[in-house]
Structures are given as C-alpha cells and as structure tokens.
Amino acid sequence: MMKTASSSSSSHAFPTTALLCTPYLLLVPLGLLAMVLVIPSLGSSHFRSDDALGVLCRGGGGYLVTPGGAAAETKKVVSRPELRLLVGVLTTPKRYERRNIVRLAYALQPAVPAGVAQVDVRFVFCAVADPVDAQLVALEAMRHGDILVLNCTENMNDGKTHEYLSSVPRLFAANPYDYVMKTDDDTYLRVAALVGELRSKPRDDVYLGYGFAVGDDPMQFMHGMGYVVSWDVAAWVSTNEDILRHNDTHGPEDLLVGKWLNIGRRGTNRYSLRPRMYDLNWDMDNFRPDTVLVHMLKDNRRWAAAFRYFNVTAGLQPSVLYHLP
Ligand SMILES: *[C@@H]1O[C@H](CO)[C@@H](O)[C@H](O)[C@H]1NC(C)=O
Ligand SMILES: *[C@@H]1O[C@H](CO)[C@@H](O)[C@H](O)[C@H]1NC(C)=O
Ligand SMILES: *[C@@H]1O[C@H](CO)[C@@H](O)[C@H](O)[C@H]1NC(C)=O
C-alpha cells in the first residue's frame, strides 16, 4: 500500500538507499488514519490537491521538502538542485514531545521546488547512553530516518557544535551539501524563506545567521538560534587542529564558532538576516510575515502561537471527525 516515486532531486543523492518519496498520509496504516486526522497540523493545505501534495521523502534519512504529485513523477531525470542544505537540529534524546512538534513543523512546510533546493533535516544527538532512550530513538531512526548520533557526550556548550560541524564533512563526504546549518529545537525555521536567501549567495566561504555585533564588528558571530556555513567552512573546521589544540570548544557555542572563523579568516561572506531572524518576545506579538526563523519557542503554547500566526493549520479540511477551533 505504500506508493513510491523516485525522487526528483535526490535519486542520485543517496545511491546506497532506495529512496521513498511517499505522500505523507499514505505512510499511515488505514486503521490509524482517523486518529491521525485529529491532529490539526497534519491536515495542511499540502493535501488538498495532487498538485499541492506535500511529499515527505526519506532517503538515507532526513526530510526532503520537494513538490510531489504528478509533476515529480513525470520528471524522471532532474539535474542537481541549485543548492543542497543540511539542517542539524541539536537536541537531546529525552525531548520526544518537542521533537515530534519540530518534526511536524518541518514536514508541513510548503514545498521547495525540487530544482531549487534539497533540504535534509536531522536531529542531532551525542551518544545515546540510556538504554531505554536508545530503543526509542532507534524507533525514530527507523520510522523517520532523521536521526544523527555523534561521537560525543551530551552537552550544549562543551563541544557538541564542533563535533557536529566537523563530523558532517566526513559523514557526507560522498555527497557533499552546499551548506550546513546548526539550529535548535526551540527554533521554527521557514525553509523556503531561508532557501530564498541562500539562492543568491555564494556557495563558498559563507557564514550566515543573526549577526551579533561586538565592538565595531557588526557580525562577529552568528547567534546560536540558527546559522549556516558553506560546506568548505565546515570542512575547514573539521580539519583545523588549532581549534582542539587551543581547547577552543568549551564555552558558548555560537560565539566560539565566530571566534574560530575570525582567527582562521573563514566565512568572510557574512550575512546577517536580522530582523528576519529573531527571538519571540514574552508577549508573543513580534511575529513578522517575512520570518526566516523565530527562536525562543520554549513551550507548546509558543509553538501553537507560531503555527497559528504562520497559518500552518489553515488548510485543515472540515470533518465530522474533529472540531478544532
Ligand atoms: C563514531 O565513531 C565510529 C568509530 O570510530 C565511526 O565509525 C562513526 O562514523 C562515528 N560516528 C560519527 C557520527 O561520527
Ligand atoms: C579544556 O577546557 C576545559 C574547560 O575549561 C577543562 O576542563 C579542560 O581541562 C581543558 N583541557 C585542556 C587539555 O586544557
Ligand atoms: C495568514 O492568513 C491570513 C488570512 O488569509 C493572511 O492575512 C496572513 O497574511 C497570513 N499570514 C502569513 C504569515 O502568511
């Protein structure tokens, strides 16, 4: 009952893995269908017509936000997209509920045209020590294929970002991305808006995010809410022994990334996306329509406010099975 279609943008991307691009609802056993429909965000506009069908592609893990339906199926051979972006959401194993919300937040985004971008999202952990968590995270890896476990001990400001940025060039060496992003599980990233920014940017020596001014340097480092480096910059981090020799991985991760790049004169193509990247304020009244990402979504109430503001559930079809005001 699973309908498969070869992916337009990435059939070459994961040569070792058969790629499944399946309309999301078709992944759900019929018995669960009614239950799933109760979840408001699953009924998004993606499912209203074939043309707008959102397709969640699994290939070697992660999501691929590509257009689905007839268009994708008829185009058998599609060249490499303009850009490929890996989004690493740094989180910890026990945050199951949050991860579920974040996963839906990515899965229900409007499609990015396949020729424009391939965007893969992974949840990034250090080693999963607890045997119960190891089992449950294994389920997620099997079901969603979006788990990346690094060789580190879980921490936030003790080298996890360094481990992430320096593992990715090796882990994906066979099929490099153009850009590597680090973000968190309290950030809502609007993928199409970010891709729109990246399209016109260089593919090399890039460091993009919410620029933090220090002294008279307007962009000394990018805030940890979410930043992007180009592949060459990640590769440079992965091979730079000075960072480890100077023990320069302990401390605020975002500030340290800026420090490494400043010392190494890397990431010199710097772009601050302020004010399109921002912290949601206490009153939750500073959302903006041109948001690239909004940070500080630290509880369900704040996530709900974001989904409402960005009309994520506006396309929910009326049904006798649920009433969700
Ligand atoms: C962890 O270490 C093992 C053994 O060195 C290696 O095979 C694996 O690729 C590493 N994993 C990551 C995510 O770096
Ligand atoms: C590196 O820094 C950490 C934290 O400041 C400290 O605990 C550790 O001993 C240092 N290691 C070296 C080799 O200096
Ligand atoms: C959400 O939908 C409303 C009503 O159609 C519209 O006015 C508003 O601009 C939309 N918000 C965003 C962020 O697109």
Side-chain angles (χ1 to χ4, degrees):
M1 65 170 283
M2 291 230 292
K3 185 181 167 211
T4 66
S6 63
S7 156
S8 41
S9 67
S10 71
S11 47
H12 66 294
F14 299 98
T16 55
T17 322
L19 197 99
L20 284 177
C21 258
T22 310
Y24 200 74
L25 285 178
L26 296 183
L27 288 168
V28 180
L30 279 178
L32 288 175
L33 200 54
M35 201 185 90
V36 166
L37 286 174
V38 177
I39 302 170
S41 45
L42 278 177
S44 91
S45 57
H46 297 181
F47 308 127
R48 271 184 301 204
S49 76
D50 255 14
D51 281 339
L53 190 66
V55 178
L56 185 63
C57 300
R58 299 169 57 211
Y63 306 123
L64 193 59
V65 186
T66 65
E73 280 172 46
T74 50
K75 275 202 253 164
K76 291 273 184 264
V77 183
V78 174
S79 54
R80 192 183 195 283
E82 283 177 36
L83 63 96
R84 298 179 68 237
L85 164 69
L86 176 71
V87 178
V89 180
L90 272 61
T91 181
T92 54
K94 292 197 192 305
R95 296 167 71 82
Y96 298 101
E97 182 182 2
R98 174 64 60 80
R99 201 148 58 245
N100 186 46
I101 292 171
V102 175
R103 190 175 272 132
L104 289 169
Y106 281 104
L108 294 171
Q109 302 231 357
V112 175
V116 173
Q118 177 191 337
V119 180
D120 294 333
V121 180
R122 315 273 170 128
F123 292 100
V124 180
F125 309 108
C126 287
V128 184
D130 181 283
V132 173
D133 287 334
Q135 275 299 316
L136 299 183
V137 169
L139 294 180
E140 294 180 60
M142 290 176 74
R143 184 70 180 84
H144 302 292
D146 58 5
I147 299 297
L148 172 52
V149 180
L150 304 172
N151 287 324
C152 50
T153 311
E154 202 55 69
N155 68 81
M156 185 161 94
N157 284 327
D158 218 15
K160 183 169 177 178
T161 296
H162 182 264
E163 185 66 25
Y164 169 63
L165 288 177
S166 52
S167 298
V168 160
R170 177 175 45 78
L171 293 169
F172 300 98
N175 197 8
Y177 288 89
D178 296 297
Y179 299 106
V180 181
M181 180 170 199
K182 178 264 156 184
T183 187
D184 290 329
D185 64 9
D186 58 352
T187 293
Y188 180 54
L189 169 66
R190 297 175 83 218
V191 173
L194 177 63
V195 165
E197 285 286 340
L198 288 174
R199 282 181 85 172
S200 61
K201 301 293 185 280
R203 298 290 181 259
D204 290 316
D205 208 26
V206 167
Y207 183 28
L208 170 148
Y210 172 107
F212 220 93
V214 177
D216 51 11
D217 183 345
M219 286 183 268
Q220 185 149 94
F221 68 93
M222 302 297 168
H223 191 288
M225 59 176 67
Y227 51 84
V228 175
V229 297
S230 51
W231 184 260
D232 60 307
V233 170
W236 175 81
V237 169
S238 74
T239 56
N240 188 293
E241 288 166 8
D242 288 342
I243 296 169
L244 292 174
R245 189 162 57 238
H246 294 134
N247 199 9
D248 228 355
T249 60
H250 308 275
E253 55 95 12
D254 48 2
L255 187 149
L256 284 174
V257 171
K259 182 178 171 189
W260 310 331
L261 301 191
N262 293 341
I263 292 173
R265 299 186 196 290
R266 302 291 159 142
T268 57
N269 295 314
R270 290 196 186 187
Y271 306 94
S272 178
L273 298 192
R274 293 169 79 162
R276 297 181 66 196
M277 292 185 172
Y278 54 94
D279 284 329
L280 183 61
N281 67 20
W282 179 259
D283 294 327
M284 305 194 296
D285 61 3
N286 64 330
F287 286 115
R288 36 188 303 144
D290 64 350
T291 298
V292 170
L293 70 78
V294 50
H295 176 240
M296 296 294 280
L297 305 183
K298 293 201 178 289
D299 58 35
N300 290 357
R301 200 173 64 94
R302 293 168 77 81
W303 277 97
F307 292 136
R308 174 158 301 137
Y309 178 82
F310 294 110
N311 294 324
V312 173
T313 55
L316 179 66
Q317 296 298 295
S319 167
V320 294
L321 297 181
Y322 45 76
H323 173 68
L324 297 163

